[in-house]
């Protein structure tokens, strides 16, 4: 996994100051580091002291390589490297090809969903003896299983599975990647909301603040964002062809929403909600809307209302909503939540 951990450099004086707060009591949300803070501290996202990079001849599709001090240089990141995008989403070349490639198409999940909403998992030895970590993993999984139809099972013979391990920073792949896929949970990530966030990516979620309609609900305060292209790109917005929120309304309290001060250079807000009195993000766990959208994504009802995760639906309900269209767009099954919802027979989900 050496390709996944990129550009490690020393912590800057600025970050040393802003991150000097001890983790402290685990129930005190005021001292919890955010995912962004942890990943900045781990040196995964860039050096805030680099400033604007010099003009380069070429535009790099997936960003620029970095020198030893963590500052970008005019050399493109190779296409075959796994890189973090949006702070904590690890992307493979195949995932980026889907996301940024011509004619790409995505939904909340642009990668494959877990068949039947069942996620096999293992906890790596680097975390297995860490009580706080295993508690947070259990609690993070429970956030989703108690309110949605997705479930987690200890891996046995499954080929595709999630492995929680103690890597650098908090990050996850998006949806099913194929084979073993890591979820990195560094020491600062051992909180229910943080683990639920990374599991949300593994289940197929992007960030809430990347939604196509986000500018109707929040304003990005660019003057307060750390200088440098790489930090500004953390606030990329994707259009409807990449993110489909399945008809749900914008959710300020989503566990997938970054906090107000994410990537702030001066402690001032970088994301300002249009609505007064709302909290951005959720450090406690998933929101009602997070659960609702996950149930839509996996085509099932919440626990208690029905036991119909996609793979266990009865044959009588295994019908495409529009046979002709489903057949026509069959190739989009792995990438499109709409296809997986409306064309379940064609997509082989029931
Ligand atoms: Zn994230």
């Amino acid at each position: 996994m050496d390709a996944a951990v990129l550009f490690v450099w020393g912590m800057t004086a600025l970050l040393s100051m802003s991150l000097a707060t001890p983790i402290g009591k685990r129930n005190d949300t005021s001292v919890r580091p955010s995912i962004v803070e942890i990943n900045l501290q781990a040196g995964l996202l860039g050096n805030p002291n680099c400033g604007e990079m010099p003009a380069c001849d070429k535009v790099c599709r997936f960003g620029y390589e970095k020198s030893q001090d963590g500052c970008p240089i005019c050399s493109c990141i190779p296409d075959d490297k796994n890189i973090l995008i949006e702070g904590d989403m690890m992307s493979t070349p195949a995932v980026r090809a889907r996301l940024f490639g011509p004619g790409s198409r995505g939904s909340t999940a642009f990668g494959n969903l877990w068949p039947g909403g069942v996620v096999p998992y293992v906890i790596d030895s680097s975390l297995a003896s860490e009580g706080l970590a295993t508690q947070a993993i259990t609690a993070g999984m429970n956030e989703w299983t108690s309110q949605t139809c997705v479930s987690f099972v200890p891996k046995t013979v499954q080929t595709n599975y999630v492995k929680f391990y103690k890597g650098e920073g908090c990050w996850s792949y998006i949806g099913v990647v194929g084979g073993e896929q890591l979820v990195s949970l560094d020491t600062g990530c051992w909180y229910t909301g943080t683990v639920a966030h990374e599991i949300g990516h593994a289940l197929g979620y992007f960030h809430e603040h990347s939604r196509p309609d986000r500018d109707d609900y929040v304003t990005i305060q660019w003057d307060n964002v750390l200088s440098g292209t790489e930090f500004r790109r953390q606030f990329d917005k994707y259009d409807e062809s990449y993110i489909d929120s399945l008809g749900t309304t914008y959710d300020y309290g989503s566990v997938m929403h970054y906090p107000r001060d994410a990537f702030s250079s001066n402690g001032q807000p970088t994301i300002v909600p249009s609505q007064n009195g709302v909290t951005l993000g959720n450090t406690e766990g998933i929101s009602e809307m997070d659960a609702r959208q996950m149930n839509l994504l996996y085509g099932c009802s919440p626990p208690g209302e029905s036991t119909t995760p996609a793979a266990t639906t009865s044959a009588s309900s295994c019908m495409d909503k529009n046979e002709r269209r489903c057949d026509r767009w069959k190739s989009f099954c792995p990438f499109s939540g709409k296809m997986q919802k409306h064309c379940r027979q064609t997509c082989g989900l029931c």
Side-chain angles (χ1 to χ4, degrees):
M1 210 41 229
D2 55 331
V5 181
L6 308 173
F7 318 127
V8 178
W9 52 85
M11 204 168 76
T12 65
L14 172 67
L15 284 170
S16 299
M17 289 170 64
S18 64
L19 298 171
T21 311
I23 289 173
K25 286 191 299 180
R26 305 195 73 75
N27 290 329
D28 183 351
T29 57
S30 67
V31 296
R32 274 184 207 175
S34 71
I35 290 169
V36 170
E37 287 173 323
I38 291 164
N39 289 355
L40 278 167
Q41 185 171 356
L44 296 174
L45 302 178
N47 181 342
N49 289 343
C50 297
E52 296 296 334
M53 69 177 294
C56 301
D57 291 339
K58 51 190 169 188
V59 175
C60 294
R61 202 168 164 211
F62 303 127
Y64 295 89
E65 291 273 48
K66 294 181 177 63
S67 58
Q68 289 243 320
D69 61 2
C71 296
I73 54 176
C74 287
S75 171
C76 295
I77 290 175
D79 285 352
D80 61 354
K81 216 167 183 174
N82 290 356
I83 58 171
L84 277 182
I85 55 176
E86 281 195 55
D88 72 331
M89 298 174 1
M90 190 59 77
S91 65
T92 63
V95 163
R96 290 198 300 281
R98 282 184 210 151
L99 186 56
F100 302 114
S104 63
R105 170 80 192 167
S107 65
T108 311
F110 61 83
N112 293 343
L113 299 180
W114 296 90
V118 179
V119 184
Y121 74 95
V122 294
I123 298 178
D124 184 63
S125 58
S126 58
L127 288 177
S129 59
E130 300 280 3
L132 289 174
T134 54
Q135 281 171 33
I137 292 168
T138 302
M141 292 194 293
N142 191 50
E143 283 295 300
W144 294 107
T145 56
S146 63
Q147 298 175 67
T148 76
C149 65
V150 302
S151 58
F152 298 86
V153 295
K155 169 191 155 41
T156 52
V157 297
Q158 298 90 342
T159 308
N160 300 335
Y161 62 95
V162 161
K163 179 193 267 188
F164 297 99
Y165 92 118
K166 189 177 177 181
E168 290 187 78
C170 325
W171 51 260
S172 170
Y173 292 88
I174 309 136
V176 181
V177 174
E180 176 183 286
Q181 64 184 82
L182 297 170
V183 172
S184 173
L185 298 176
D186 210 342
T187 313
C189 321
W190 300 346
Y191 296 96
T192 305
T194 306
V195 175
H197 177 108
E198 298 307 338
I199 289 176
H201 286 315
L203 288 168
Y205 272 1
F206 280 85
H207 288 133
E208 186 72 359
H209 51 271
S210 302
R211 282 173 56 147
D213 57 350
R214 71 110 188 269
D215 290 338
D216 295 336
Y217 299 92
V218 297
T219 303
I220 306 300
Q221 299 291 338
W222 296 106
D223 290 347
N224 296 333
V225 177
L226 288 165
S227 63
T229 308
E230 58 194 323
F231 294 113
R232 302 175 77 81
R233 288 214 60 182
Q234 305 296 340
F235 296 97
D236 278 354
K237 180 180 71 172
Y238 298 96
D239 66 27
E240 288 85 355
S241 62
Y242 300 120
I243 292 184
D244 178 353
S245 298
L246 306 174
T248 58
T249 53
Y250 194 89
D251 185 12
Y252 292 115
S254 169
V255 76
M256 306 310 293
H257 204 300
Y258 274 165
R260 279 178 192 248
D261 61 350
F263 297 101
S264 175
S265 62
N266 52 15
Q268 297 299 307
T270 51
I271 311 175
V272 175
S274 312
Q275 199 175 313
N276 289 330
V278 295
T279 299
L280 297 187
N282 195 331
T283 58
E284 298 299 322
I286 72 172
S287 68
E288 188 184 335
M289 197 67 78
D290 287 329
R292 193 181 307 169
Q293 194 178 152
M294 192 60 76
N295 282 318
L296 289 170
L297 184 62
Y298 278 88
C300 56
S301 303
E305 290 185 20
S306 168
T307 52
T308 56
T312 58
T313 306
S314 66
S316 61
S317 64
C318 186
M319 291 175 63
D320 292 335
K321 292 200 174 166
N322 184 319
E323 205 172 306
R324 196 164 54 87
R325 284 194 179 179
C326 288
D327 187 59
R328 183 177 170 194
W329 298 106
K330 190 176 179 180
S331 62
F332 290 97
C333 283
F335 320 123
S336 168
K338 278 185 183 165
M339 283 296 292
Q340 290 157 6
K341 181 182 176 191
H342 298 298
C343 306
R344 293 170 58 202
Q345 185 176 23
T346 294
C347 292
L349 292 172
C350 55

